[in-house]
Amino acid sequence: MVKFRVVLIILTYILSAGAMFGADRLQLVSLKDDMLPEPQVTAEAVFVGLVRPKVTTVQGTSSETILAALPPENRTNGVCVRVTTADGLYSGVAEYKSAGADTSNMTLMDYVSDEEALATYSENEIAVLVFPCDSALALSTAAVATWRSDDVVELGESVNVLVNSFRADAAFLIVNDTEQVDCQPYKVGERAAFDFSCQLDAKQIESGAHLSLFRIRGASVDPELSLSIVGWE
């Protein structure tokens, strides 16, 4: 009887975990990436990452799998992913498509890079940005993503918005036109792919959110930049 209860508890846990992280697995269409000998940081993107870290991981994994909250209606023209290391040495852009009938608001994507050095970076050194491919030129919508999600045990309660302020003195977000979130400097050297991290409570964006980014230089403020987030389910 005791053994049966133990088996039942374990089975219930497995089924619950499977339901929590149930996701449609997308097919990789293309990946263009490069590992540079010196940092190369361009002004193409200010919003560099939208990442929900894990609380616990299995050590030693080398699989780069991305779990992202991108519902089927946001995937009709493909899903694009940008991966950038904080030091600016690695950058990659991948495109994915649906593998079949989409039934989940979550997606799993295998990021298959030939650059072996990518696996040596820790999770807090990697920015991941997931968005519908049709918004690539004028980024307006992005999804929360988790890097190396194949070993997820538990997701954190916060989401990090990684920003390249291009050496602003300060930066902050306005969430849904009401709440201000101050961003903290991210120290990784002078030529960094992102230099501020803005931490949001995951509950703030469960059903989506509108972010407005402001960067301050002395007495002046850079033009406002906006981003709509697909919420985490």
Side-chain angles (χ1 to χ4, degrees), residues 7-45:
V7 171
L8 182 60
I9 291 171
I10 293 173
L11 180 60
T12 302
Y13 174 80
I14 292 172
L15 291 175
S16 298
M20 177 180 288
F21 298 112
D24 297 322
R25 186 171 288 276
L26 304 187
Q27 293 179 343
L28 179 63
V29 175
S30 65
L31 171 61
K32 296 180 180 179
D33 63 345
D34 200 6
M35 183 68 73
L36 303 171
E38 295 181 358
Q40 180 178 333
V41 180
T42 69
E44 292 178 0

Side-chain angles (χ1 to χ4, degrees), residues 19-94:
M20 177 180 288
F21 298 112
D24 297 322
R25 186 171 288 276
L26 304 187
Q27 293 179 343
L28 179 63
V29 175
S30 65
L31 171 61
K32 296 180 180 179
D33 63 345
D34 200 6
M35 183 68 73
L36 303 171
E38 295 181 358
Q40 180 178 333
V41 180
T42 69
E44 292 178 0
V46 175
F47 289 105
V48 182
L50 187 58
V51 185
R52 188 174 186 179
K54 295 173 293 186
V55 172
T56 320
T57 63
V58 176
Q59 299 299 317
T61 181
S62 60
S63 177
E64 317 294 13
T65 304
I66 301 166
L67 177 69
L70 202 64
E73 61 267 25
N74 296 106
R75 310 177 206 162
T76 54
N77 293 311
V79 176
C80 284
V81 174
R82 283 208 301 259
V83 174
T84 313
T85 55
D87 57 16
L89 294 180
Y90 175 88
S91 63
V93 178

